C-alpha cells in the first residue's frame, strides 16, 4: 500500500471516529446498539467481530498434520490449534469435517475420512467431532463445521473408494472431471443425500455453524465439458443448462438454510464463495473487476443467496491485495458491503493469510502490513462483521510477522461475536466475589439463561459508553469464574460482567464490583440479591430509598426473636478482616439494628443506627475471621428499638 493511500485512510478513519458525539442518556439491555452508535467508539477495539481461521483436513493441510497419528497425538494437535486461536484473540474456528465425501464423525451415511487414519473407512478410535466441539466450547470458541458438498475424491478412480462408499454403490450419482470425482449437483437424490449428511452432524452435535466453501460445480478446465447431459435431459425443466446448474446449487443452499434452522434455529449457516460474483463489464450489478466470475464459471449465484436471505453470513474469499488491477481488495470489499447492506446477512471477509510473506507471491504480499491494511479498509465499511483466515498453519507461521502486525493493530482486545437473530438477552448477572490473588484478580459470578459471560474492567466510574466497544473488555468465558491475570497489582479496579445467550445477545451489565490495589489482598461484596444472602419470608423487599445498593433492599419489623438475614462468604484464610455494611437511611428506620459478625472467638453484635449514614459503606470494625465458607454477617430483628431493620449489602476486606 502506498504511503499516500495509508495517509488518506488514516485521515478518513479519524474523521469518522470523531464525527459521533458521546452519549448522555443511560443505557439499557434493549438499547445497547443505540448506545454504541451514540458513543465515540475506538475503531481499533470493536465490541463485536467474528475472528476465525479455517482448519483444513483435506490432504492434511492443517489437521491432522499427517494420517495415522495416535488418538492422543491427534487430540494434542487439535488443542494446539485452539490454543493458537485463543492466543490470537479469535472467537471461532471453521473446521473441515467432510472434506471428500467422508466424515470426521461416526456416520451411517458416509465412511470415516481417509485423512484421519490414512484408510477411508478406518475408525480413528474416538469421535473427532464430539471432541472438537467440547474442546472449542471449553475455550469459548464457536465451532463451525465445514462441509465440502460435492467433492468425492481428488482422483477419478472409483475403485479406490471404499466398497461401501455411496458414490461407488451409486455410480449414476457421480461424474469425473479434471482428474477428480464429484457428486452430480443436477440429481435431486444427490442433493437430498448431501443435505442428509450435513443434517446428521447438525442434529447429533452441538456445533455452532454449518459452513460451505467455494467448491460447487468444478472450476472450469479448458477443453473439458461437465458430463451432466443425462441429468439435464431428465431434470432441466426447460431452463438453459447454465441457469439449470445455478438453480441446482441454489436449491441446495435454500433447502439447507430451511432444514438447519428448522432443526436448530441457533445454528448459523454461512458460505465462503469465490470473491468475484460477476464483473461490471458483464453485469452492471457486478464489481469493478476483471477476474473469473463464479456466477458463470462454477454456477454460484452468491449475490442471490445474500439478497434472498438464504445465508446468515457470507465470507467471500477476497484473496487479492490492495490495488491489484484484476481484483483489488478495496474494490471487492466495498462491493460486498453494498451487496449485504440492508439484507440481514453478515459480511465476514475471507483473508489470504497463506499469501503473506510466501515465496512466489508478488511484492505486495512481501509487505508485512498488507494483511493489517485489509482490516483498515474494512473499518470504512460497517457492514464488515469480521474475518476468517486461510489457513491455520499460515496464522501460526506468521511469516514476515504479518499476522503479528495485524493482531497488534486490530486484535489488542477480545471481541464478542456478532449477535444473530432476535432472541431476548439474558438477565444481568451478579458478581459474587472479587478477590486479589497472587496472579491477578479472581472473580466469581452467577446468572441464569447465559451461554457465556463477558468481563469488563474500569479504573474509574463506568458510564454507559464504557461498554460501547471493547476498550474495557477483559475476557469472555463460559465459566462462572475467571482470574484476570492482566490486573496490575497496585491499581484499584471496578469489574462488571454481562451475560450472553447462544446467539450472543448481551444483557445489561452487573452492578460494579470494586477491587482495591495490592495493599488489600481480598475483598468480597455480598448484596441482598445474591445467592449468598438468605432471609425468611418475614423480610420484605423495597426499592423506596434511592440510597440502595444494587436493585433493592430488605426490611423487617423488630421482634423479640433473632430471625437474622445472613450474608454468606468464602473467607480464603484465617486473619483480620474489616467488615462494612451498606444500607439506606430513613428517619423511620431502626436506631440500633443488631449486626452479628461470626468472629473466630465467638459471635460479636454491633448496633447500627440506620436513621443516618445511608448510601455509603459503614465499618462495623475489624474482626478475626476463620477460613471457610459460612454465614459471616447477619442482620437481626431482635431489638427493642422501633423502626424497620434494614439488610442491603456487606463488604468484607482483609487487612
Amino acid at each position: 500500500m502506498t504511503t499516500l493511500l495509508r495517509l488518506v485512510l488514516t485521515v478518513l478513519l479519524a474523521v469518522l471516529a470523531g464525527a459521533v458525539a458521546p452519549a448522555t442518556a443511560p443505557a439499557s439491555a434493549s438499547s445497547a446498539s443505540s448506545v454504541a452508535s451514540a458513543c465515540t467508539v475506538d475503531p481499533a477495539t470493536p465490541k463485536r467481530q467474528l475472528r476465525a481461521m479455517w482448519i483444513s483436513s483435506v490432504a492434511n493441510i492443517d489437521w491432522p498434520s499427517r494420517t495415522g497419528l495416535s488418538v492422543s497425538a491427534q487430540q494434542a494437535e487439535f488443542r494446539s490449534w485452539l490454543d493458537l486461536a485463543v492466543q490470537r484473540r479469535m472467537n471461532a474456528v471453521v473446521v473441515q469435517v467432510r472434506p471428500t465425501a467422508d466424515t470426521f464423525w461416526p456416520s451411517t451415511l458416509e465412511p470415516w475420512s481417509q485423512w484421519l487414519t490414512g484408510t477411508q473407512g478406518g475408525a480413528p478410535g474416538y469421535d473427532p467431532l464430539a471432541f472438537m466441539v467440547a474442546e472449542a466450547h471449553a475455550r469459548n470458541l464457536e465451532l463451525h463445521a465445514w462441509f465440502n458438498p460435492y467433492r468425492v475424491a481428488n482422483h477419478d478412480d472409483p475403485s479406490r473408494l471404499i466398497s461401501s462408499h455411496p458414490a461407488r454403490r451409486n455410480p449414476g450419482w457421480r461424474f469425473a472431471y479434471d482428474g477428480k470425482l464429484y457428486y452430480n449437483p443436477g440429481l435431486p437424490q444427490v442433493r437430498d443425500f448431501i443435505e442428509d449428511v450435513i443434517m446428521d452432524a447438525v442434529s447429533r452435535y452441538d456445533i455452532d455453524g454449518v459452513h460451505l466453501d467455494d467448491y460447487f460445480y468444478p472450476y472450469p478446465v479448458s477443453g473439458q465439458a461437465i458430463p451432466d447431459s443425462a441429468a439435464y435431459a431428465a431434470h432441466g425443466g426447460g431452463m438453459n443448462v447454465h441457469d439449470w446448474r445455478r438453480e441446482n446449487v441454489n436449491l441446495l443452499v435454500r433447502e439447507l438454510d430451511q432444514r438447519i434452522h428448522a432443526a436448530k434455529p441457533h445454528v448459523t449457516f454461512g458460505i465462503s464463495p469465490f470473491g468475484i460474483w460477476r464483473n461490471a463489464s458483464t453485469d452492471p450489478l457486478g464489481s469493478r473487476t476483471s477476474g473469473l466470475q463464479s456466477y458463470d464459471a462454477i454456477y454460484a449465484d452468491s449475490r442471490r443467496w445474500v439478497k434472498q436471505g438464504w445465508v446468515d453470513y457470507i465470507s467471500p474469499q477476497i484473496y487479492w491485495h490492495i490495488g491489484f488491477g484484476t481484483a483489488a481488495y478495496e474494490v471487492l470489499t466495498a462491493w460486498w458491503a453494498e451487496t449485504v447492506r440492508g439484507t440481514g446477512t453478515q459480511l465476514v471477509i475471507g483473508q489470504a493469510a497463506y499469501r503473506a510473506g510466501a515465496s512466489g507471491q508478488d511484492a505486495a504480499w512481501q509487505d508485512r502490513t498488507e494483511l493489517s491494511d485489509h482490516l483498515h479498509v474494512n473499518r470504512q465499511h460497517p457492514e464488515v462483521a469480521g474475518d476468517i483466515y486461510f489457513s491455520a498453519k499460515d496464522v501460526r507461521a506468521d511469516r514476515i510477522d504479518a499476522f503479528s502486525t495485524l493482531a497488534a493493530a486490530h486484535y489488542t482486545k477480545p471481541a464478542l461475536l456478532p449477535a444473530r437473530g432476535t432472541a431476548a438477552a439474558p438477565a444481568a448477572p451478579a458478581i459474587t466475589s472479587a478477590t486479589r490473588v497472587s496472579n491477578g484478580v479472581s472473580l466469581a459470578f452467577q446468572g441464569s439463561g447465559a451461554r457465556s459471560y463477558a468481563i469488563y474492567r474500569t479504573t474509574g466510574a463506568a458510564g454507559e459508553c464504557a461498554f460501547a466497544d471493547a476498550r474495557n473488555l477483559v475476557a469472555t468465558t463460559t465459566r462462572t469464574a475467571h482470574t484476570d491475570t492482566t490486573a496490575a497489582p497496585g491499581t484499584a479496579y471496578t469489574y462488571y460482567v454481562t451475560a450472553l445467550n447462544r446467539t450472543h445477545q448481551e444483557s445489561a451489565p452487573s452492578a460494579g464490583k470494586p477491587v482495591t490495589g495490592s495493599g488489600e489482598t481480598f475483598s468480597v461484596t455480598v448484596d441482598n440479591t445474591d445467592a449468598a444472602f438468605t432471609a425468611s419470608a418475614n423480610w420484605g423487599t423495597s426499592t423506596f430509598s434511592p440510597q440502595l445498593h444494587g436493585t433493592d433492599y430488605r426490611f423487617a419489623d423488630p421482634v423479640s426473636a433473632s430471625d437474622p438475614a445472613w450474608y454468606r462468604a468464602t473467607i480464603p484464610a484465617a486473619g483480620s478482616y474489616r467488615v462494612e455494611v451498606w444500607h439506606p437511611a430513613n428517619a423511620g428506620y431502626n436506631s440500633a439494628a443488631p449486626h452479628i459478625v461470626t468472629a473466630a472467638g465467638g459471635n460479636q453484635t454491633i448496633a447500627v443506627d440506620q436513621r443516618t449514614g445511608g448510601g455509603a459503606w459503614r465499618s462495623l470494625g475489624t474482626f478475626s475471621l476463620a477460613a471457610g465458607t459460612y454465614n459471616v454477617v447477619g442482620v437481626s430483628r431482635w431489638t427493642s428499638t422501633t423502626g424497620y431493620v434494614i439488610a442491603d449489602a456487606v463488604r468484607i476486606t482483609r487487612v
Side-chain angles (χ1 to χ4, degrees):
M1 175 183 275
T2 66
T3 302
L4 177 59
L5 181 53
R6 286 194 179 93
L7 179 61
V8 170
L9 284 173
T10 301
V11 172
L12 177 60
L13 290 168
V15 170
L16 290 171
V20 184
T24 56
S28 67
S30 62
S31 62
S33 60
S34 62
V35 168
S37 64
C39 296
T40 301
V41 297
D42 179 5
T45 57
K47 180 165 181 169
R48 293 187 182 271
Q49 191 174 57
L50 189 146
R51 302 171 182 171
M53 61 185 182
W54 279 290
I55 300 178
S56 303
S57 59
V58 66
N60 300 115
I61 291 174
D62 295 311
W63 179 80
S65 61
R66 59 182 176 84
T67 59
L69 292 175
S70 67
V71 171
S72 60
Q74 279 190 9
Q75 293 181 345
E77 279 192 356
F78 191 76
R79 289 189 185 101
S80 72
W81 288 124
L82 299 183
D83 291 342
L84 174 65
V86 171
Q87 175 196 349
R88 289 304 193 180
R89 292 196 174 91
M90 295 180 180
N91 47 29
V93 288
V94 183
V95 186
Q96 195 170 32
V97 300
R98 183 183 181 265
T100 48
D102 48 14
T103 66
F104 273 56
W105 73 94
S107 169
T108 60
L109 299 174
E110 289 187 317
W112 282 108
S113 177
Q114 63 174 310
W115 309 112
L116 289 166
T117 64
T119 302
Q120 192 170 68
Y126 72 112
D127 185 337
L129 184 52
F131 166 78
M132 292 187 287
V133 169
E135 291 289 328
H137 288 174
R139 294 162 176 79
N140 200 23
L141 295 168
E142 279 202 335
L143 188 136
H144 294 213
W146 166 16
F147 304 84
N148 185 287
Y150 299 117
R151 181 172 58 205
V152 173
N154 287 332
H155 58 77
D156 61 2
D157 182 0
S159 68
R160 291 171 58 185
L161 301 175
I162 189 173
S163 60
S164 61
H165 197 295
R168 191 168 175 181
R169 289 188 289 106
N170 300 278
W173 286 13
R174 68 177 192 253
F175 61 68
Y177 184 87
D178 188 30
K180 299 179 178 65
L181 290 175
Y182 296 90
Y183 279 126
N184 189 338
L187 298 176
Q189 61 269 40
V190 164
R191 183 172 67 252
D192 291 342
F193 174 75
I194 291 169
E195 292 174 15
D196 288 345
V197 171
I198 293 172
M199 291 307 301
D200 181 50
V202 171
S203 63
R204 292 170 53 197
Y205 296 89
D206 191 25
I207 62 175
D208 300 286
V210 168
H211 183 94
L212 305 185
D213 55 24
D214 61 314
Y215 289 96
F216 295 100
Y217 274 83
Y219 277 87
V221 175
S222 178
Q224 293 192 32
I226 296 173
D228 62 352
S229 57
Y232 174 57
H235 304 289
M239 289 183 281
N240 71 55
V241 68
H242 304 293
D243 288 340
W244 172 71
R245 288 171 179 164
R246 269 185 294 275
E247 182 60 13
N248 293 331
V249 177
N250 287 341
L251 285 170
L252 178 77
V253 172
R254 183 168 74 240
E255 290 172 5
L256 272 176
D257 171 58
Q258 293 168 349
R259 293 184 66 177
I260 291 165
H261 293 115
K264 291 185 177 178
H266 65 267
V267 172
T268 189
F269 178 39
I271 299 180
S272 179
F274 185 77
I276 300 172
W277 172 70
R278 297 192 98 185
N279 302 313
S281 59
T282 302
D283 189 324
L285 296 175
S287 53
R288 291 183 294 104
T289 51
S290 55
L292 179 143
Q293 304 175 113
S294 59
Y295 176 93
D296 304 276
I298 58 175
Y299 303 102
D301 194 354
S302 48
R303 183 179 182 275
R304 186 179 181 193
W305 308 336
V306 170
K307 296 299 185 182
Q308 293 293 328
W310 295 340
V311 289
D312 297 311
Y313 70 88
I314 196 84
S315 185
Q317 297 172 18
I318 310 183
Y319 287 172
W320 303 286
H321 62 77
I322 295 169
F324 181 55
T326 301
Y329 179 85
E330 70 279 16
V331 169
L332 278 166
T333 300
W335 184 87
W336 280 104
E338 170 65 26
T339 297
V340 305
R341 190 172 301 144
T343 64
T345 298
Q346 295 172 351
L347 173 59
V348 181
I349 306 296
Q351 299 285 357
Y354 73 94
R355 291 190 175 221
S359 61
Q361 300 293 333
D362 54 22
W365 290 106
Q366 306 310 319
D367 181 347
R368 65 181 178 85
T369 68
E370 176 66 30
L371 268 183
S372 180
D373 287 340
H374 289 197
L375 271 65
H376 282 296
V377 170
N378 292 359
R379 292 184 191 178
Q380 301 174 53
H381 305 287
E383 295 83 7
V384 178
D387 303 88
I388 311 177
Y389 300 90
F390 188 84
S391 69
K393 67 182 177 61
D394 301 293
V395 173
R396 173 174 284 170
D398 195 24
R399 291 178 298 273
I400 63 174
D401 293 328
F403 204 89
S404 291
T405 300
L406 178 150
H410 306 281
Y411 292 174
T412 59
K413 291 289 186 179
L416 308 183
L417 282 151
R420 305 191 294 263
T422 58
I431 303 176
T432 55
S433 66
T435 309
R436 281 273 178 190
V437 292
S438 59
N439 62 334
V441 174
S442 177
L443 301 167
F445 35 89
Q446 59 186 15
S448 60
R451 170 77 171 193
S452 62
Y453 298 90
I455 301 164
Y456 299 84
R457 184 187 71 200
T458 64
T459 54
E464 58 206 14
C465 290
F467 310 100
D469 58 23
R471 277 174 288 187
N472 298 309
L473 183 61
V474 173
T476 65
T477 180
T478 57
R479 300 177 174 89
T480 55
H482 177 78
T483 298
D484 176 16
T485 58
T486 67
T491 304
Y493 297 112
T494 301
Y495 285 88
Y496 302 84
V497 176
T498 61
L500 296 105
N501 61 17
R502 186 65 187 263
T503 49
H504 312 294
Q505 280 78 16
E506 185 182 29
S507 74
S510 68
K513 183 74 72 173
V515 175
T516 59
S518 59
E520 296 174 339
T521 57
F522 170 84
S523 183
V524 60
T525 300
V526 184
D527 187 80
N528 70 282
T529 59
D530 294 340
F533 175 88
T534 56
S536 74
N538 298 315
W539 288 80
T541 302
S542 177
T543 59
F544 171 75
S545 174
Q547 295 179 339
L548 52 75
H549 183 279
T551 58
D552 55 40
Y553 58 98
R554 307 296 291 273
F555 68 94
D557 289 313
V559 294
S560 297
S562 183
D563 189 25
W566 282 107
Y567 297 86
R568 187 176 182 86
T570 299
I571 305 303
S576 296
Y577 293 82
R578 183 173 64 250
V579 177
E580 301 166 283
V581 297
W582 182 295
H583 63 84
N586 185 278
Y589 293 166
N590 204 281
S591 62
H595 285 62
I596 306 163
V597 178
T598 310
N603 290 354
Q604 299 187 35
T605 302
I606 301 93
V608 175
D609 185 352
Q610 296 183 324
R611 298 172 302 178
T612 61
W617 290 112
R618 297 179 64 179
S619 177
L620 300 183
T622 299
F623 304 86
S624 178
L625 301 181
T629 301
Y630 54 94
N631 290 330
V632 181
V633 181
V635 182
S636 174
R637 301 171 61 200
W638 198 336
T639 175
S640 59
T641 54
T642 60
Y644 287 133
V645 175
I646 304 300
D648 196 348
V650 302
R651 183 167 68 185
I652 304 164
T653 304
R654 187 165 186 175
V655 295

